[in-house]
Amino acid sequence: MAQKLEQQLKELGSKLHSPPSSKDALLKLLKQAATCLSELDQSPPSTTVESMQPFLNAIVKPELLKHQDRDAKLLVATCICEITRITAPEAPYNDDVLKDIFHLIVGTFNGLSDTNGPSFGRRVVILETLAKYRSCVVMLDLECDDLVNEMFSTFFAVVRDDHPESVLSSMLTIMVVVLEESEDVRDDLLLILLSALGRKRSDVTPAARRLAMNVIEQCSGKLGAGIKQFLISLMSGDNHFVNSEFDYHEVIYDVYCCAPQILSGVVPYLTGELLTDQLDTRLRAVRLVGDLFALPGSTICEAFQPVCSEFLKRLTDRVVDVRMSVLEHVKNCLLSNPSRSEAAAIILIIIHGF
């Protein structure tokens, strides 16, 4: 069996050295190659590696690696992913070729949104291979920063509720590995991640939001300082680097839901917003803290007592809209959980406040 595969790979490498001009003929060869490679184990005998060499050289020739046909590109990417699996942990190509390879691989992820498409299965295999063998780390070694940004953006754009669990977990694994293995998380990458947060975003799917929250939860130690500084900059008025869709109050809400410890340095600024004379900011802060306050099982009053205390003091705010917003959130909170530990204190504040 092994000798037969070796012979097939030799022949395929020879035929692909000068690829056929016919698309159908080319696709047939690439499909045969993908099948052969999938049957090889990782770290095969030296005789197998030797027999693969003509094919390894042929598959990264510019006319294949940068082929314009969508189907051919996908099959080339499939073959190369199999090669990286077989040769792992060794990199089978030099840095320049590897950069082109990762551009090709990341480009295949755009098609993951079409779960019913004929090529969906191949794209999933490529994704799973990248996750399983952690070959995405090589992108960091190659300093492919823009490509990493593109990959994260693509995942958030294509992820769907009806994706198989293997797709969701592979996307999560790749993003977590890239972040954890990065020396520093760049601001532009952090912005891509935080831009997927928010309950009211019209341009972000619920699946993308959950993916971003899962990434933050798993990488809270790595991301904590950056997210904290990012939010503090926005709350201090430095918002030139975000678009109009970006709502930092919504980001704070989602971060609290997945990694509340990150917000320890942000809370004093939120307390300041509850005290500000700017009505719009004060009202938005009241709504945010109220939403956090009303979350089932919320411990915001224990974890962040000053902001909770100031929120309840807004029951006597001079502006009716602010008072009504606090009262509505408190009512919802008490109705959903009358036995919460601070219920009696809240009722006393309401009685004395009014």
Side-chain angles (χ1 to χ4, degrees):
M1 180 67 176
Q3 288 182 336
K4 182 180 178 181
L5 286 175
E6 290 174 10
Q7 185 59 37
Q8 285 179 314
L9 285 171
K10 278 184 181 179
E11 293 175 0
L12 287 166
S14 176
K15 291 176 181 178
L16 287 171
H17 182 73
S18 298
S21 56
S22 164
K23 174 185 170 180
D24 290 342
L26 175 61
L27 295 183
K28 183 178 179 181
L29 289 177
L30 291 173
K31 285 177 182 177
Q32 290 174 354
T35 301
C36 285
L37 291 167
S38 68
E39 295 176 11
L40 290 176
D41 294 328
Q42 188 178 358
S43 303
S46 57
T47 54
T48 303
V49 175
E50 185 178 337
S51 69
M52 288 174 59
Q53 200 58 53
F55 180 81
L56 264 64
N57 295 337
I59 198 68
V60 293
K61 290 171 70 69
E63 53 263 51
L64 289 179
L65 196 56
K66 298 182 180 181
H67 203 284
Q68 295 304 303
D69 181 77
R70 180 183 175 91
D71 295 330
K73 288 167 71 171
L74 180 60
L75 283 166
V76 170
T78 300
C79 290
I80 291 174
C81 265
E82 290 292 348
I83 290 169
T84 59
R85 173 189 64 81
I86 294 165
T87 60
E90 300 300 321
Y93 299 108
N94 63 44
D95 288 357
D96 289 337
V97 172
L98 285 172
K99 287 179 182 180
D100 288 337
I101 285 172
F102 281 110
H103 274 282
L104 176 65
I105 288 173
V106 170
T108 67
F109 296 149
N110 285 303
L112 286 169
S113 58
D114 183 10
T115 55
N116 296 317
S119 65
F120 180 72
R122 288 196 187 277
R123 296 177 196 277
V124 171
V125 170
I126 293 171
L127 179 75
E128 291 174 342
T129 302
L130 198 67
K132 182 176 181 179
Y133 295 96
R134 298 167 59 96
S135 45
C136 49
V137 173
V138 178
M139 297 167 70
L140 300 176
D141 298 333
L142 298 172
E143 299 181 349
C144 298
D145 295 344
D146 290 342
L147 191 59
V148 169
N149 288 358
E150 180 185 335
M151 181 172 68
F152 273 54
S153 296
T154 298
F155 286 164
F156 288 133
V158 303
V159 67
R160 296 289 183 270
D161 287 323
D162 61 345
H163 269 149
E165 179 57 34
S166 63
V167 172
L168 300 174
S169 62
S170 293
M171 287 182 182
L172 178 61
T173 296
I174 291 169
M175 297 170 89
V176 168
V177 167
V178 167
L179 290 169
E180 290 292 348
E181 294 296 329
S182 298
E183 288 187 19
D184 298 297
V185 179
R186 293 169 289 102
D187 289 344
D188 52 353
L189 183 56
L190 188 61
L191 178 58
I192 291 170
L193 179 62
L194 297 181
S195 293
L197 300 180
R199 295 167 290 177
K200 303 169 186 175
R201 292 293 296 270
S202 61
D203 57 337
V204 176
T205 64
R209 179 184 170 219
R210 282 193 297 275
L211 178 59
M213 292 174 71
N214 287 336
V215 170
I216 292 171
E217 181 180 14
Q218 292 201 22
C219 299
S220 58
K222 188 77 174 186
L223 296 172
I227 291 176
K228 192 181 304 181
Q229 187 55 52
F230 192 91
L231 291 171
I232 289 173
S233 295
L234 288 171
M235 298 175 85
S236 301
D238 184 9
N239 59 1
H240 69 279
F241 50 87
V242 297
N243 60 37
S244 58
E245 287 271 354
F246 195 96
D247 182 346
Y248 67 79
H249 289 99
E250 283 292 301
V251 172
I252 290 173
Y253 179 90
D254 279 350
V255 171
Y256 178 84
C257 290
C258 63
Q261 68 276 15
I262 290 176
L263 299 177
S264 58
V266 177
V267 166
Y269 291 84
L270 197 53
T271 304
E273 287 194 346
L274 291 170
L275 292 165
T276 184
D277 290 332
Q278 296 177 346
L279 178 58
D280 179 62
T281 300
R282 189 161 82 253
L283 194 53
R284 291 173 68 192
V286 161
R287 289 169 180 159
L288 167 62
V289 178
D291 286 347
L292 297 178
F293 189 73
L295 280 171
S298 174
T299 58
I300 187 170
C301 285
E302 299 171 18
F304 305 121
Q305 195 277 331
V307 74
C308 186
S309 176
E310 193 55 50
F311 167 73
L312 292 173
K313 288 179 183 177
R314 293 305 96 208
L315 282 164
T316 57
D317 196 278
R318 64 181 181 273
V319 177
V320 173
D321 286 349
V322 175
R323 297 199 301 269
M324 294 305 296
S325 180
V326 177
L327 194 60
E328 183 67 23
H329 281 98
V330 169
K331 181 190 76 171
N332 293 338
C333 172
L334 293 178
L335 286 175
S336 65
N337 185 12
S339 61
R340 62 185 295 162
S341 58
E342 61 273 12
I346 293 170
I347 292 171
L348 284 174
I349 292 173
I350 294 173
I351 292 172
H352 292 300
F354 291 93

Coordinates of all heavy atoms in Angstrom, one line a residue, residues 86-164:
I86 N 1.6 16.1 7.4 CA 2.5 15.0 7.3 C 3.9 15.3 7.8 O 4.6 14.5 8.4 CB 2.6 14.5 5.8 CG1 1.2 13.9 5.4 CG2 3.7 13.5 5.6 CD1 1.1 13.8 3.9
T87 N 4.4 16.5 7.5 CA 5.7 16.9 7.8 C 5.9 17.6 9.2 O 7.0 17.9 9.6 CB 6.3 17.9 6.7 OG1 5.5 19.0 6.7 CG2 6.3 17.2 5.4
A88 N 4.7 17.9 9.9 CA 4.8 18.5 11.2 C 5.7 17.7 12.1 O 5.7 16.5 12.1 CB 3.4 18.7 11.7
P89 N 6.4 18.4 13.0 CA 6.5 19.9 13.2 C 7.4 20.6 12.3 O 7.7 21.8 12.5 CB 6.9 20.0 14.7 CG 7.8 18.8 14.8 CD 7.3 17.7 14.0
E90 N 8.0 19.9 11.4 CA 9.0 20.6 10.5 C 8.3 21.4 9.4 O 7.2 21.0 8.9 CB 9.9 19.6 9.8 CG 10.7 18.7 10.8 CD 11.7 19.6 11.6 OE1 12.2 20.6 11.1 OE2 11.8 19.3 12.8
A91 N 8.8 22.6 9.1 CA 8.2 23.4 8.0 C 8.8 22.9 6.7 O 10.0 22.8 6.5 CB 8.5 24.9 8.2
P92 N 7.9 22.5 5.7 CA 8.4 21.9 4.5 C 8.9 22.9 3.4 O 9.5 22.5 2.4 CB 7.2 21.2 3.9 CG 6.0 22.0 4.5 CD 6.4 22.6 5.8
Y93 N 8.7 24.3 3.7 CA 9.1 25.3 2.7 C 9.8 26.4 3.4 O 9.8 26.6 4.6 CB 7.9 25.8 2.0 CG 7.1 24.7 1.2 CD1 5.9 24.2 1.7 CD2 7.7 24.1 0.1 CE1 5.2 23.2 1.0 CE2 7.0 23.1 -0.6 CZ 5.7 22.6 -0.1 OH 5.1 21.6 -0.8
N94 N 10.5 27.3 2.5 CA 11.1 28.5 3.0 C 10.1 29.5 3.4 O 8.9 29.4 3.0 CB 12.2 29.0 2.1 CG 11.6 29.4 0.7 OD1 10.6 30.1 0.7 ND2 12.2 29.1 -0.4
D95 N 10.6 30.6 4.0 CA 9.7 31.6 4.5 C 8.8 32.3 3.4 O 7.6 32.5 3.6 CB 10.5 32.7 5.3 CG 11.0 32.2 6.6 OD1 10.7 31.1 7.0 OD2 11.7 33.0 7.3
D96 N 9.4 32.6 2.3 CA 8.7 33.3 1.2 C 7.5 32.4 0.7 O 6.4 32.9 0.5 CB 9.6 33.7 0.1 CG 10.6 34.8 0.5 OD1 10.2 35.6 1.4 OD2 11.6 34.9 -0.2
V97 N 7.8 31.2 0.6 CA 6.8 30.2 0.1 C 5.7 30.1 1.2 O 4.5 30.1 0.9 CB 7.4 28.9 -0.3 CG1 6.3 27.9 -0.6 CG2 8.3 29.0 -1.5
L98 N 6.1 30.0 2.4 CA 5.1 29.8 3.5 C 4.2 31.0 3.6 O 3.0 30.9 3.9 CB 5.9 29.7 4.8 CG 6.5 28.3 5.1 CD1 7.4 28.3 6.3 CD2 5.5 27.2 5.2
K99 N 4.7 32.2 3.3 CA 3.8 33.4 3.3 C 2.7 33.3 2.3 O 1.6 33.6 2.5 CB 4.7 34.7 3.1 CG 5.5 35.1 4.3 CD 6.3 36.3 4.0 CE 7.2 36.7 5.2 NZ 8.0 37.9 4.9
D100 N 3.1 32.8 1.1 CA 2.2 32.6 0.0 C 1.2 31.5 0.4 O 0.0 31.6 0.1 CB 2.9 32.3 -1.3 CG 3.6 33.5 -1.9 OD1 3.2 34.6 -1.6 OD2 4.5 33.2 -2.7
I101 N 1.7 30.5 1.0 CA 0.8 29.4 1.5 C -0.3 29.9 2.4 O -1.5 29.5 2.3 CB 1.6 28.3 2.1 CG1 2.4 27.5 1.0 CG2 0.8 27.3 2.9 CD1 3.4 26.5 1.5
F102 N 0.1 30.7 3.4 CA -0.8 31.1 4.4 C -1.8 32.1 3.8 O -3.0 32.2 4.2 CB -0.1 31.7 5.6 CG 0.4 30.7 6.6 CD1 1.7 30.4 6.7 CD2 -0.5 29.9 7.3 CE1 2.2 29.5 7.6 CE2 0.0 28.9 8.1 CZ 1.3 28.7 8.3
H103 N -1.4 32.9 2.8 CA -2.4 33.8 2.1 C -3.4 32.9 1.4 O -4.6 33.3 1.4 CB -1.6 34.6 1.1 CG -1.1 35.9 1.7 ND1 -1.9 37.0 1.9 CD2 0.2 36.3 2.0 CE1 -1.1 38.0 2.4 NE2 0.1 37.6 2.5
L104 N -3.0 31.8 0.8 CA -3.9 30.9 0.1 C -4.9 30.3 1.1 O -6.1 30.3 0.9 CB -3.1 29.9 -0.6 CG -3.9 28.8 -1.3 CD1 -4.8 29.4 -2.5 CD2 -3.0 27.7 -1.8
I105 N -4.3 29.8 2.2 CA -5.1 29.1 3.2 C -6.2 30.0 3.9 O -7.4 29.7 4.0 CB -4.2 28.5 4.3 CG1 -3.5 27.3 3.7 CG2 -5.1 28.1 5.5 CD1 -2.5 26.7 4.7
V106 N -5.8 31.2 4.3 CA -6.7 32.2 4.9 C -7.8 32.6 3.9 O -9.0 32.7 4.3 CB -6.0 33.4 5.4 CG1 -6.9 34.5 5.8 CG2 -5.1 33.1 6.6
G107 N -7.4 32.6 2.6 CA -8.4 33.0 1.6 C -9.5 31.9 1.5 O -10.6 32.2 1.1
T108 N -9.2 30.7 1.8 CA -10.2 29.6 1.7 C -11.3 29.8 2.7 O -12.4 29.2 2.6 CB -9.6 28.2 1.8 OG1 -9.1 28.0 3.1 CG2 -8.5 28.0 0.8
F109 N -11.0 30.5 3.8 CA -12.0 30.5 4.9 C -13.2 31.4 4.6 O -14.2 31.3 5.3 CB -11.3 31.1 6.2 CG -10.2 30.2 6.7 CD1 -9.1 30.7 7.4 CD2 -10.3 28.8 6.5 CE1 -8.1 29.8 7.9 CE2 -9.3 27.9 7.0 CZ -8.2 28.5 7.7
N110 N -13.1 32.2 3.6 CA -14.2 33.0 3.2 C -15.4 32.2 2.8 O -16.6 32.6 3.0 CB -13.9 33.9 2.0 CG -13.0 35.1 2.4 OD1 -13.4 35.9 3.3 ND2 -11.8 35.3 1.8
G111 N -15.1 31.0 2.3 CA -16.2 30.1 1.8 C -16.9 29.3 2.9 O -17.8 28.6 2.7
L112 N -16.4 29.5 4.2 CA -17.0 28.7 5.3 C -18.5 29.2 5.6 O -19.2 28.5 6.3 CB -16.2 28.9 6.5 CG -14.9 28.0 6.5 CD1 -14.0 28.5 7.7 CD2 -15.2 26.6 6.6
S113 N -18.8 30.4 5.1 CA -20.2 30.8 5.3 C -21.2 30.0 4.6 O -22.4 30.0 5.0 CB -20.3 32.3 4.9 OG -20.0 32.5 3.6
D114 N -20.8 29.4 3.5 CA -21.8 28.6 2.7 C -21.7 27.1 3.2 O -21.0 26.3 2.6 CB -21.4 28.7 1.2 CG -22.3 28.0 0.3 OD1 -23.4 27.5 0.8 OD2 -22.1 27.8 -0.9
T115 N -22.5 26.8 4.2 CA -22.5 25.5 4.8 C -23.0 24.4 3.8 O -22.8 23.2 4.1 CB -23.2 25.4 6.1 OG1 -24.6 25.9 5.9 CG2 -22.6 26.3 7.1
N116 N -23.8 24.8 2.9 CA -24.4 23.8 1.9 C -23.6 23.7 0.6 O -24.0 22.9 -0.3 CB -25.8 24.2 1.6 CG -26.7 24.1 2.9 OD1 -26.6 23.2 3.6 ND2 -27.6 25.1 3.0
G117 N -22.5 24.5 0.5 CA -21.8 24.4 -0.8 C -21.0 23.1 -0.9 O -20.6 22.5 0.1
P118 N -20.7 22.8 -2.2 CA -20.0 21.5 -2.4 C -18.5 21.5 -1.9 O -18.0 20.4 -1.7 CB -20.0 21.4 -4.0 CG -20.2 22.8 -4.4 CD -21.0 23.5 -3.4
S119 N -18.0 22.7 -1.7 CA -16.6 22.7 -1.2 C -16.5 22.9 0.3 O -15.4 23.0 0.9 CB -15.8 23.9 -1.9 OG -16.4 25.1 -1.6
F120 N -17.6 23.0 1.0 CA -17.6 23.3 2.5 C -16.7 22.3 3.2 O -15.9 22.6 4.1 CB -19.0 23.3 3.0 CG -19.1 23.6 4.5 CD1 -18.8 24.9 5.0 CD2 -19.4 22.6 5.4 CE1 -18.9 25.2 6.3 CE2 -19.5 22.9 6.8 CZ -19.2 24.2 7.2
G121 N -16.9 21.0 2.9 CA -16.1 19.9 3.6 C -14.6 20.1 3.5 O -13.9 19.9 4.5
R122 N -14.2 20.5 2.3 CA -12.7 20.7 2.2 C -12.2 21.9 3.0 O -11.1 21.8 3.6 CB -12.4 20.9 0.7 CG -12.5 19.6 -0.2 CD -11.8 19.8 -1.5 NE -12.0 18.7 -2.4 CZ -11.4 17.6 -2.4 NH1 -10.4 17.4 -1.5 NH2 -11.6 16.6 -3.2
R123 N -13.0 22.9 3.0 CA -12.6 24.1 3.8 C -12.6 23.8 5.3 O -11.7 24.3 6.0 CB -13.6 25.2 3.5 CG -13.6 25.7 2.0 CD -14.7 26.8 1.7 NE -14.9 26.9 0.3 CZ -14.1 27.6 -0.5 NH1 -13.1 28.3 0.0 NH2 -14.3 27.7 -1.8
V124 N -13.5 23.0 5.7 CA -13.5 22.6 7.1 C -12.3 21.8 7.5 O -11.6 22.0 8.5 CB -14.8 21.8 7.5 CG1 -14.7 21.2 8.9 CG2 -16.0 22.7 7.4
V125 N -11.9 20.9 6.6 CA -10.6 20.1 6.8 C -9.4 21.0 6.9 O -8.6 20.8 7.8 CB -10.5 19.0 5.7 CG1 -9.1 18.4 5.8 CG2 -11.6 18.0 5.8
I126 N -9.3 22.0 6.1 CA -8.2 22.9 6.1 C -8.2 23.6 7.5 O -7.2 23.8 8.1 CB -8.3 23.9 5.0 CG1 -8.1 23.2 3.6 CG2 -7.3 25.0 5.1 CD1 -8.3 24.0 2.4
L127 N -9.4 24.1 7.9 CA -9.5 24.8 9.2 C -9.1 23.9 10.3 O -8.3 24.3 11.2 CB -11.0 25.3 9.3 CG -11.3 26.0 10.6 CD1 -10.8 27.4 10.6 CD2 -12.8 26.1 10.8
E128 N -9.6 22.7 10.3 CA -9.3 21.8 11.4 C -7.8 21.4 11.5 O -7.3 21.3 12.6 CB -10.2 20.5 11.3 CG -11.7 20.7 11.5 CD -12.5 19.5 11.2 OE1 -12.0 18.6 10.5 OE2 -13.6 19.4 11.6
T129 N -7.2 21.3 10.3 CA -5.8 20.9 10.3 C -5.0 22.1 10.8 O -4.0 21.9 11.6 CB -5.4 20.7 8.8 OG1 -6.1 19.6 8.3 CG2 -3.9 20.3 8.7
L130 N -5.3 23.3 10.5 CA -4.6 24.5 11.0 C -4.7 24.5 12.5 O -3.7 24.9 13.2 CB -5.2 25.7 10.4 CG -4.3 27.0 10.4 CD1 -3.1 26.9 9.6 CD2 -5.1 28.2 10.0
A131 N -5.9 24.2 13.0 CA -6.1 24.2 14.5 C -5.4 23.1 15.2 O -4.7 23.3 16.2 CB -7.6 24.2 14.8
K132 N -5.5 21.9 14.7 CA -5.0 20.7 15.3 C -3.5 20.7 15.4 O -2.9 20.4 16.4 CB -5.4 19.4 14.6 CG -4.9 18.1 15.2 CD -5.5 16.9 14.5 CE -5.0 15.6 15.1 NZ -5.5 14.4 14.5
Y133 N -2.8 21.2 14.3 CA -1.3 21.1 14.3 C -0.7 22.5 14.7 O 0.5 22.7 14.6 CB -0.9 20.6 13.0 CG -1.3 19.2 12.7 CD1 -2.4 18.9 12.0 CD2 -0.5 18.1 13.3 CE1 -2.8 17.6 11.8 CE2 -0.9 16.8 13.1 CZ -2.0 16.5 12.4 OH -2.4 15.2 12.2
R134 N -1.6 23.5 15.0 CA -1.1 24.8 15.5 C -0.2 25.5 14.5 O 0.7 26.3 14.9 CB -0.4 24.6 16.9 CG -1.3 24.1 18.0 CD -0.6 23.7 19.2 NE 0.2 24.8 19.8 CZ -0.2 25.5 20.8 NH1 -1.4 25.3 21.3 NH2 0.5 26.5 21.2
S135 N -0.3 25.1 13.3 CA 0.6 25.7 12.3 C 0.3 27.2 12.1 O 1.2 27.9 11.5 CB 0.4 25.0 10.9 OG -0.9 24.8 10.6
C136 N -0.8 27.7 12.6 CA -1.0 29.1 12.6 C 0.0 29.9 13.3 O 0.2 31.1 13.0 CB -2.4 29.5 13.2 SG -2.7 28.7 14.8
V137 N 0.8 29.3 14.2 CA 1.8 30.0 15.0 C 2.9 30.4 14.0 O 3.6 31.5 14.2 CB 2.4 29.0 16.0 CG1 3.6 29.7 16.7 CG2 1.4 28.7 17.1
V138 N 3.1 29.7 12.9 CA 4.1 30.1 11.9 C 3.8 31.5 11.3 O 4.8 32.2 11.0 CB 4.2 29.0 10.8 CG1 5.2 29.4 9.8 CG2 4.5 27.6 11.4
M139 N 2.6 31.8 11.3 CA 2.2 33.2 10.8 C 2.9 34.3 11.6 O 3.2 35.3 11.1 CB 0.7 33.3 10.7 CG 0.0 32.4 9.8 SD -1.8 32.3 10.0 CE -2.2 33.9 9.3
L140 N 3.0 34.0 12.9 CA 3.6 35.0 13.8 C 5.1 35.0 13.6 O 5.7 36.1 13.6 CB 3.3 34.6 15.3 CG 1.9 34.5 15.7 CD1 1.8 34.0 17.2 CD2 1.2 35.9 15.6
D141 N 5.7 33.9 13.4 CA 7.1 33.8 13.1 C 7.5 34.6 11.8 O 8.5 35.2 11.7 CB 7.6 32.4 13.0 CG 7.4 31.6 14.3 OD1 7.4 32.2 15.4 OD2 7.3 30.4 14.2
L142 N 6.5 34.5 10.9 CA 6.7 35.2 9.6 C 6.3 36.7 9.6 O 6.5 37.3 8.6 CB 5.9 34.5 8.5 CG 6.3 33.0 8.2 CD1 5.3 32.4 7.3 CD2 7.7 32.9 7.6
E143 N 5.8 37.1 10.8 CA 5.4 38.5 10.9 C 4.3 38.9 9.9 O 4.3 40.0 9.4 CB 6.5 39.5 10.9 CG 7.6 39.2 11.9 CD 8.8 40.2 11.9 OE1 8.9 40.9 10.9 OE2 9.5 40.2 12.8
C144 N 3.3 37.9 9.7 CA 2.2 38.2 8.8 C 1.1 38.9 9.6 O 0.0 38.3 9.7 CB 1.7 36.9 8.2 SG 2.9 36.0 7.2
D145 N 1.3 40.1 10.1 CA 0.4 40.7 11.0 C -0.9 41.1 10.2 O -2.0 40.8 10.7 CB 1.0 42.0 11.5 CG 2.1 41.8 12.4 OD1 2.3 40.6 12.9 OD2 2.9 42.7 12.7
D146 N -0.8 41.6 9.0 CA -2.0 41.9 8.2 C -2.8 40.7 7.9 O -4.1 40.7 7.9 CB -1.7 42.6 6.9 CG -1.1 44.0 7.2 OD1 -1.3 44.6 8.3 OD2 -0.5 44.6 6.3
L147 N -2.2 39.6 7.7 CA -2.9 38.3 7.4 C -3.6 37.8 8.6 O -4.7 37.2 8.5 CB -1.9 37.3 6.8 CG -2.5 36.0 6.2 CD1 -3.4 36.4 5.0 CD2 -1.4 35.1 5.7
V148 N -3.0 37.9 9.8 CA -3.6 37.5 11.0 C -4.9 38.3 11.2 O -5.9 37.8 11.6 CB -2.7 37.6 12.2 CG1 -3.4 37.5 13.5 CG2 -1.5 36.6 12.1
N149 N -4.8 39.6 11.0 CA -6.0 40.5 11.1 C -7.1 40.0 10.1 O -8.2 40.0 10.5 CB -5.6 42.0 10.8 CG -4.7 42.6 11.8 OD1 -4.5 42.0 12.9 ND2 -4.3 43.8 11.6
E150 N -6.6 39.7 8.9 CA -7.6 39.3 7.9 C -8.3 38.0 8.3 O -9.5 37.8 8.2 CB -6.9 39.1 6.6 CG -7.8 38.6 5.4 CD -7.1 38.3 4.2 OE1 -6.0 38.9 3.9 OE2 -7.6 37.5 3.4
M151 N -7.5 37.1 8.9 CA -8.1 35.8 9.4 C -9.1 36.0 10.5 O -10.2 35.4 10.5 CB -6.9 34.9 9.8 CG -7.4 33.5 10.3 SD -6.1 32.4 10.6 CE -5.3 33.1 12.1
F152 N -8.8 36.8 11.5 CA -9.7 37.1 12.6 C -11.0 37.7 12.0 O -12.1 37.4 12.4 CB -9.1 38.0 13.6 CG -8.3 37.3 14.7 CD1 -7.3 36.4 14.3 CD2 -8.5 37.6 16.0 CE1 -6.5 35.8 15.3 CE2 -7.8 36.9 17.0 CZ -6.8 36.0 16.7
S153 N -10.8 38.7 11.1 CA -12.0 39.4 10.5 C -12.8 38.4 9.7 O -14.1 38.5 9.8 CB -11.5 40.6 9.6 OG -10.9 41.6 10.4
T154 N -12.2 37.5 9.0 CA -12.9 36.5 8.2 C -13.7 35.6 9.1 O -14.9 35.3 8.9 CB -11.9 35.7 7.4 OG1 -11.3 36.6 6.4 CG2 -12.7 34.6 6.6
F155 N -13.1 35.1 10.2 CA -13.8 34.3 11.1 C -15.1 35.0 11.7 O -16.2 34.4 11.7 CB -12.9 33.9 12.3 CG -11.9 32.8 12.0 CD1 -10.8 32.6 12.8 CD2 -12.0 32.1 10.8 CE1 -9.8 31.7 12.5 CE2 -11.0 31.1 10.5 CZ -10.0 30.9 11.3
F156 N -15.0 36.2 12.1 CA -16.1 36.9 12.6 C -17.2 37.2 11.5 O -18.4 37.2 11.8 CB -15.7 38.3 13.2 CG -14.9 38.1 14.5 CD1 -13.8 38.8 14.8 CD2 -15.4 37.3 15.5 CE1 -13.1 38.7 15.9 CE2 -14.7 37.1 16.7 CZ -13.5 37.8 16.9
A157 N -16.7 37.3 10.3 CA -17.7 37.6 9.2 C -18.4 36.3 8.8 O -19.6 36.4 8.3 CB -16.9 38.1 8.0
V158 N -17.8 35.1 8.8 CA -18.4 33.9 8.3 C -19.0 33.0 9.3 O -19.8 32.1 9.0 CB -17.4 33.1 7.5 CG1 -16.8 34.0 6.4 CG2 -16.3 32.5 8.3
V159 N -18.7 33.1 10.6 CA -19.2 32.2 11.6 C -20.7 32.3 11.7 O -21.3 33.3 11.6 CB -18.5 32.5 13.0 CG1 -18.9 33.8 13.6 CG2 -18.8 31.3 14.0
R160 N -21.3 31.1 11.8 CA -22.8 31.0 11.8 C -23.2 30.1 12.9 O -22.5 29.2 13.4 CB -23.2 30.3 10.5 CG -22.9 31.2 9.2 CD -23.8 32.4 9.2 NE -23.6 33.2 7.9 CZ -22.7 34.1 7.8 NH1 -21.9 34.5 8.9 NH2 -22.6 34.8 6.7
D161 N -24.5 30.3 13.4 CA -25.1 29.5 14.4 C -25.2 28.0 14.0 O -25.1 27.1 14.8 CB -26.5 30.0 14.8 CG -26.4 31.3 15.6 OD1 -25.4 31.4 16.4 OD2 -27.2 32.2 15.4
D162 N -25.4 27.8 12.7 CA -25.6 26.4 12.2 C -24.3 25.7 11.8 O -24.3 24.6 11.2 CB -26.6 26.4 11.0 CG -26.1 27.2 9.8 OD1 -25.1 28.0 10.0 OD2 -26.7 27.0 8.7
H163 N -23.1 26.3 12.1 CA -21.9 25.7 11.8 C -21.7 24.4 12.8 O -22.1 24.5 13.9 CB -20.7 26.6 12.1 CG -20.3 27.4 10.9 ND1 -19.8 28.7 11.0 CD2 -20.3 27.1 9.6 CE1 -19.5 29.1 9.7 NE2 -19.8 28.1 8.9
P164 N -21.1 23.4 12.2 CA -20.8 22.2 13.1 C -19.9 22.7 14.3 O -19.1 23.6 14.1 CB -20.0 21.3 12.2 CG -20.4 21.7 10.8 CD -20.7 23.2 10.8

